[in-house]
Amino acid sequence: MNVLLVALGAAVGAPLRFLLDRAVQGWVAARGWAGPVVFPWGTLVVNVIGSAVLGFLVAWPTGEGLMALAGTGLCGALSTYSTLGYETLRLAEGGAWPAAAGNAVLSVAAGLGAAATGAALALAWS
């Protein structure tokens, strides 16, 4: 049963990631903030959201089914370490070393902060 819950969560998380990424990138571009280097703001945002939700779920008293659905399925498909790695490498290969380093450091720091914040909220509410 848990594998079906993971699949269901992933079926929601993956398209949500795509839509949020496109929306954030479009929002940034519409404001003229894109600059000469296309910084992966969309991936940063979805990874921070996924980290916050997962941090909340880990600290909240959840059952195995909810963790499979929302933690592994939804958050696993919503956030993406492989895209972070790819986009950071793409920036570095394009000579945008400050943006590449900033993407790596900001993504890890913001993700950890979001997970800690999500866990703190869950603990405060439980």
Side-chain angles (χ1 to χ4, degrees), residues 5-18 43 46-47 49-55 57-58 66-84:
L5 291 171
V6 170
L8 181 61
V12 172
L16 185 58
R17 177 174 75 85
F18 175 79
T43 301
V46 297
N47 285 343
I49 292 170
S51 295
V53 171
L54 190 57
L57 290 170
V58 167
L66 180 59
M67 188 55 79
L69 175 73
T72 304
L74 178 73
C75 292
L78 177 64
S79 59
T80 172
Y81 192 78
S82 58
T83 303
L84 165 65

Side-chain angles (χ1 to χ4, degrees), residues 8-118:
L8 181 61
V12 172
L16 185 58
R17 177 174 75 85
F18 175 79
L19 293 171
L20 282 172
D21 177 69
R22 295 296 90 211
V24 170
Q25 288 301 115
W27 188 80
V28 168
R31 280 150 185 78
W33 298 345
V37 174
V38 178
F39 190 83
W41 291 109
T43 301
L44 175 67
V45 168
V46 297
N47 285 343
V48 169
I49 292 170
S51 295
V53 171
L54 190 57
F56 184 92
L57 290 170
V58 167
W60 189 259
T62 60
E64 185 179 336
L66 180 59
M67 188 55 79
L69 175 73
T72 304
L74 178 73
C75 292
L78 177 64
S79 59
T80 172
Y81 192 78
S82 58
T83 303
L84 165 65
Y86 166 75
E87 290 173 341
T88 302
L89 183 61
R90 183 183 48 81
L91 288 168
E93 287 176 341
W97 286 98
N103 186 42
V105 170
L106 182 61
S107 292
V108 171
L112 289 171
T117 301

